[in-house]
């Protein structure tokens, strides 16, 4: 069993901190240090982070996969649609170095809502009951990888999140 399986929650937290660090670094380099980051106390509304820059507030659900992983869908809570500019960011990372990228993005432009989840497939529980039946999870939808936009750099993703078109690496 790999370290990634044994310490998956540790790795998840580490990836989240690396991501936040990269966003804060961009804000620092821009010279404005205007990015604010918050985390919810309770995880029941479909987002992991709240980031704000100059009036643009993003509720972000983070997902991660290692480079070369075969996951083709992500599960998204429908409550994320109730947030003004909710989005899903699917981070890829290198298993050995933990370097981040590329970045997949599912969401609208700055201050625009999450695209509709109405047509998305209703997710099912991963484990069956005593009869093996996997019940539907009516508040969770499966989003196909093809519905995400791909960005090779964190700077490109930052531009999309906050509509900063004059930012370059």
């Amino acid at each position: 069993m790999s370290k990634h399986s044994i310490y998956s929650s540790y790795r998840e937290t580490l990836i989240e901190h690396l991501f936040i660090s990269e966003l804060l670094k961009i804000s620092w380099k821009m010279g404005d240090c205007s990015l604010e980051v918050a985390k919810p106390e309770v995880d029941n509304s479909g987002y992991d982070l709240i980031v704000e820059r100059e009036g643009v507030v993003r509720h972000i659900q983070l997902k991660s996969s290692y480079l070369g992983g075969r996951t083709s869908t992500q599960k998204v809570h429908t409550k994320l649609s109730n947030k003004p500019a909710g989005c899903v960011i699917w981070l890829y990372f290198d298993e050995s170095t933990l370097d981040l990228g590329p970045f997949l993005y599912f969401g609208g432009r700055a201050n625009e809502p999450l695209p509709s989840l109405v047509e998305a497939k209703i997710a099912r529980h991963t484990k069956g009951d005593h009869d093996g039946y996997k019940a539907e999870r009516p508040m969770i939808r499966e989003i196909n990888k093809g519905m995400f936009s791909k960005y090779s750099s964190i700077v490109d993703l930052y531009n999309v999140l906050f509509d900063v078109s004059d930012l370059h690496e």
Side-chain angles (χ1 to χ4, degrees):
M1 199 175 245
S2 83
K3 177 169 54 173
H4 289 279
S5 296
I6 295 169
Y7 301 112
S8 61
S9 61
Y10 184 97
R11 184 198 69 204
E12 182 181 323
T13 300
L14 175 57
I15 296 291
E16 181 178 288
H17 283 265
L18 291 170
F19 175 69
I20 292 168
S21 161
E22 290 298 319
L23 293 179
L24 290 170
K25 188 176 2 174
I26 292 168
S27 185
W28 175 267
K29 286 180 175 180
M30 290 178 69
D32 61 11
C33 299
S34 64
L35 185 68
E36 296 180 33
V37 179
K39 287 184 56 73
E41 286 290 324
V42 178
D43 182 9
N44 70 349
S45 293
Y47 61 91
D48 303 298
L49 296 173
I50 305 165
V51 293
E52 180 178 357
R53 180 186 183 275
E54 296 182 359
V56 176
V57 179
R58 293 296 202 154
H59 289 75
I60 300 173
Q61 183 175 28
L62 284 178
K63 302 292 188 176
S64 66
S65 295
Y66 61 88
L67 286 170
R70 291 187 260 170
T71 303
S72 62
T73 63
Q74 289 294 346
K75 293 179 177 156
V76 177
H77 200 294
T78 57
K79 283 187 178 180
L80 189 59
S81 297
N82 298 335
K83 299 301 175 188
C87 61
V88 182
I89 296 174
W90 188 348
L91 307 167
Y92 276 87
F93 64 91
D94 182 287
E95 278 186 286
S96 59
T97 65
L98 296 181
D99 289 342
L100 302 180
F103 307 88
L104 301 184
Y105 174 79
F106 179 75
R109 295 177 51 99
N111 288 324
E112 289 182 359
L114 187 72
S116 175
L117 298 175
V118 172
E119 298 296 319
K121 180 180 171 185
I122 296 173
R124 293 190 170 273
H125 285 279
T126 54
K127 295 181 182 176
D129 63 12
H130 65 281
D131 294 323
Y133 177 71
K134 296 179 180 180
E136 286 186 341
R137 300 175 69 192
M139 299 298 289
I140 308 295
R141 298 292 186 272
E142 285 189 12
I143 306 299
N144 291 323
K145 191 176 190 176
M147 299 200 57
F148 286 79
S149 300
K150 183 176 180 180
Y151 298 94
S152 58
S153 78
I154 189 75
V155 171
D156 291 340
L157 180 63
Y158 194 95
N159 286 339
V160 169
L161 288 172
F162 302 110
D163 196 24
V164 184
S165 57
D166 59 340
L167 180 61
H168 303 288
E169 288 191 73

